[in-house]
């Protein structure tokens, strides 16, 4: 539509009086509402993180109204998700995070052109809902897509039952929703633009197969691992993999967060609900005994596809607990210091 196609020109003419780098930039897509088209404009002048400084509302006749919120945010904002949810007729709500004040939620009334900071810090919760139309907002989590409506979340897509790369899906932003279709755009694009299309189905793609559970401790499955899981589920005739996440409590720091995750995994093990495979658990040495994990040393020794002479075995050696190998490293990284030759 014409208004969307050239909205940056409209924003430049009606708002910007200097360089965009100094005034702000139009980062978020235009949001279509029953009051018109809403353009959030961001600025780095408020803090080191781009936060909204103005909301501009357009209709077919041009600029309908503008809400200036430049002075409403604290200067120590360090995270400002580019997402907004509908909380009622003609209202949007967003959030940012401050070093001193924690999570800050704000409401934008598009009918009265009023801005309110911290209206209710429990409205959105920990997810980042995105307004996709006048009726609903969608939020993407590690597990799937949720519909946010009337202050509540309901899961509508489970990534474990979709044929898409889990890493792509988790990092995506919803841009469209109909009765049976959701479009997601991954935030990190490589090469051509990727759009993930999810459509509903009455069939269970894994019916008759045996479930294997992979638990990701750090909620950080990389792209290659996700692709391996996707290909396994697509091609294996007898098994399928379901990924389970042990979310860290964001209110806990350091060792307390690790202990909390450890305890939840151990409880699942005691209840017979242990995952079959655990990823990213190198920091959890509590698991390294035969009560919880399988010794892999004899298995890799008898595996003709495992080419030990092509691996950097000193890294593998550090993973042993005595003579047992409970955790097999998939990769490693090196951290070092580089200085000029003149520095003594």
């Amino acid at each position: 539509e014409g208004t969307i196609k050239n909205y940056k020109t409209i924003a430049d003419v009606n708002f910007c009086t200097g360089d965009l780098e100094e005034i702000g930039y139009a980062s978020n897509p235009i949001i279509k509402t029953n009051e018109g088209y809403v353009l959030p404009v961001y600025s780095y002048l408020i803090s080191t993180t781009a936060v909204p400084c103005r909301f501009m509302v357009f209709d077919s006749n041009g600029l309908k109204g503008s809400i200036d919120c430049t002075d409403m945010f604290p200067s120590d904002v360090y995270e400002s998700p580019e997402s907004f949810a509908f909380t009622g007729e003609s209202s949007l709500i967003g959030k940012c995070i401050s070093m001193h004040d924690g999570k800050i939620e704000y409401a934008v009334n598009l009918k009265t052109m009023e801005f309110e900071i911290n209206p209710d810090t429990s409205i959105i919760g920990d997810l980042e809902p995105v307004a996709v139309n006048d009726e609903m907002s969608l939020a993407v989590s590690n597990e799937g897509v949720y519909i946010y409506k009337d202050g509540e979340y309901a899961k509508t897509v489970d990534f474990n039952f979709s044929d898409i790369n889990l890493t792509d899906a988790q990092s995506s932003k919803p841009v469209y929703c109909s009765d049976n279709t959701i479009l997601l755009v991954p935030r990190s694009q490589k090469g051509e633009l990727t759009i993930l299309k999810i459509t509903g189905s009455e069939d269970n793609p894994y019916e008759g197969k045996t479930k294997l559970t992979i638990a990701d401790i750090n909620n950080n499955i990389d792209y290659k691992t996700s692709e391996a899981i996707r290909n396994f589920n697509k091609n294996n005739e007898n098994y399928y993999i379901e990924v389970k996440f042990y979310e860290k409590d964001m209110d806990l720091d350091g060792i307390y967060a690790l202990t909390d995750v450890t305890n939840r995994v151990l409880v699942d093990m005691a209840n017979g609900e242990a995952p079959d495979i655990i990823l990213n658990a190198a920091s959890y040495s509590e698991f390294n005994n035969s009560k919880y994990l399988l010794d892999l040393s004899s298995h890799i020794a008898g595996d003709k596809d495992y080419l030990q002479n092509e691996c950097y075995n000193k890294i593998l050696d550090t993973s042993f607990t005595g003579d047992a190998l409970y955790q097999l490293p998939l990769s490693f990284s090196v951290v070092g210091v580089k200085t000029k030759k003149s520095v003594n």
Side-chain angles (χ1 to χ4, degrees):
E1 298 181 32
T3 308
I4 292 181
K5 184 176 180 181
N6 56 21
Y7 74 90
K8 287 188 177 180
T9 303
I10 296 175
D12 290 349
V13 172
N14 289 279
F15 168 61
C16 296
T17 58
D19 293 333
L20 279 176
E21 292 181 359
E22 296 178 1
I23 301 297
Y25 69 100
S27 174
N28 218 56
I30 275 189
I31 305 166
K32 184 179 180 181
T33 75
N34 50 7
E35 295 298 325
Y37 297 95
V38 182
L39 171 65
V41 181
Y42 290 74
S43 173
Y44 278 104
L45 298 182
I46 302 171
S47 70
T48 56
T49 298
V51 297
C53 63
R54 191 160 300 191
F55 288 86
M56 307 173 72
V57 183
F58 299 91
D59 60 17
S60 58
N61 297 318
L63 183 63
K64 183 178 179 181
S66 179
I67 304 172
D68 191 337
C69 49
T70 305
D71 299 325
M72 299 294 287
F73 293 96
S75 60
D76 62 348
V77 171
Y78 68 90
E79 183 178 346
S80 180
E82 298 173 9
S83 56
F84 304 93
F86 284 106
T87 58
E89 185 180 359
S90 303
S91 292
L92 290 174
I93 191 163
K95 72 176 179 180
C96 59
I97 301 177
S98 156
M99 293 286 289
H100 181 265
D101 299 317
K103 186 173 70 173
I104 299 172
E105 293 189 354
Y106 51 89
V108 182
N109 191 310
L110 305 174
K111 183 170 288 186
T112 63
M113 294 294 167
E114 294 178 342
F115 181 90
E116 183 183 5
I117 197 78
N118 245 2
D120 184 345
T121 57
S122 64
I123 293 178
I124 294 182
D126 293 328
L127 296 178
E128 298 177 12
V130 177
V132 292
N133 56 46
D134 285 349
E135 300 296 327
M136 72 172 68
S137 304
L138 298 179
V140 176
S141 73
N142 283 330
E143 296 88 3
V145 181
Y146 290 78
I147 293 176
Y148 177 81
K149 193 173 182 180
D150 299 327
E152 296 182 352
Y153 288 101
K155 183 185 283 188
T156 185
V157 174
D158 189 331
F159 291 147
N160 279 311
F161 292 89
S162 65
D163 184 28
I164 56 179
N165 184 285
L166 186 60
T167 302
D168 271 346
Q170 290 174 339
S171 65
S172 64
K173 185 174 183 178
V175 294
Y176 173 81
C177 179
S178 68
D179 291 339
N180 198 46
T181 301
I182 291 176
L183 297 184
L184 306 176
V185 177
R187 297 176 189 268
S188 177
Q189 295 283 345
K190 296 180 180 179
E192 296 182 356
L193 175 67
T194 300
I195 297 178
L196 306 176
K197 181 180 180 181
I198 301 175
T199 55
S201 173
E202 297 293 333
D203 299 326
N204 180 352
Y206 307 134
E207 186 173 0
K209 294 184 178 183
T210 301
K211 180 175 73 174
L212 299 175
T213 303
I214 286 183
D216 180 47
I217 300 296
N218 288 336
N219 304 322
N220 189 29
I221 293 184
D222 61 82
Y223 182 89
K224 289 184 178 180
T225 302
S226 295
E227 194 66 5
I229 293 173
R230 191 181 75 85
N231 289 328
F232 180 92
N233 287 343
K234 184 177 180 179
N235 298 317
N236 194 283
E237 297 180 354
N238 301 313
Y239 297 90
Y240 74 95
I241 292 174
E242 185 173 302
V243 180
K244 179 178 182 178
F245 294 93
Y246 287 90
E247 302 276 0
K248 287 184 179 178
D249 189 335
M250 301 307 293
D251 294 328
L252 299 176
D253 295 323
I255 188 64
Y256 299 103
L258 294 177
T259 302
D260 175 66
V261 172
T262 301
N263 291 338
R264 282 187 279 141
V265 176
L266 292 178
V267 167
D268 282 353
M269 289 178 173
N271 292 334
E273 300 174 356
D276 298 293
I277 301 171
I278 299 178
L279 298 178
N280 298 319
S283 300
Y284 299 83
S285 58
E286 298 90 337
F287 301 146
N288 292 342
N289 64 72
S290 57
K291 181 180 178 181
Y292 302 123
L293 299 178
L294 178 69
D295 179 7
L296 298 173
S297 56
S298 60
H299 290 269
I300 63 174
D303 189 343
K304 63 180 181 1
D305 294 324
Y306 178 69
L307 305 177
Q308 187 167 347
N309 61 328
E310 295 184 7
C311 297
Y312 188 53
N313 287 299
K314 289 191 178 297
I315 298 297
L316 184 63
D317 293 343
T318 63
S319 302
F320 276 84
T321 301
D323 295 327
L325 180 66
Y326 297 114
Q327 298 200 39
L328 180 65
L330 302 180
S331 63
F332 70 95
S333 59
V334 177
V335 178
V337 176
K338 182 173 68 174
T339 66
K340 291 183 178 180
K341 195 172 182 179
S342 59
V343 177
N344 294 325

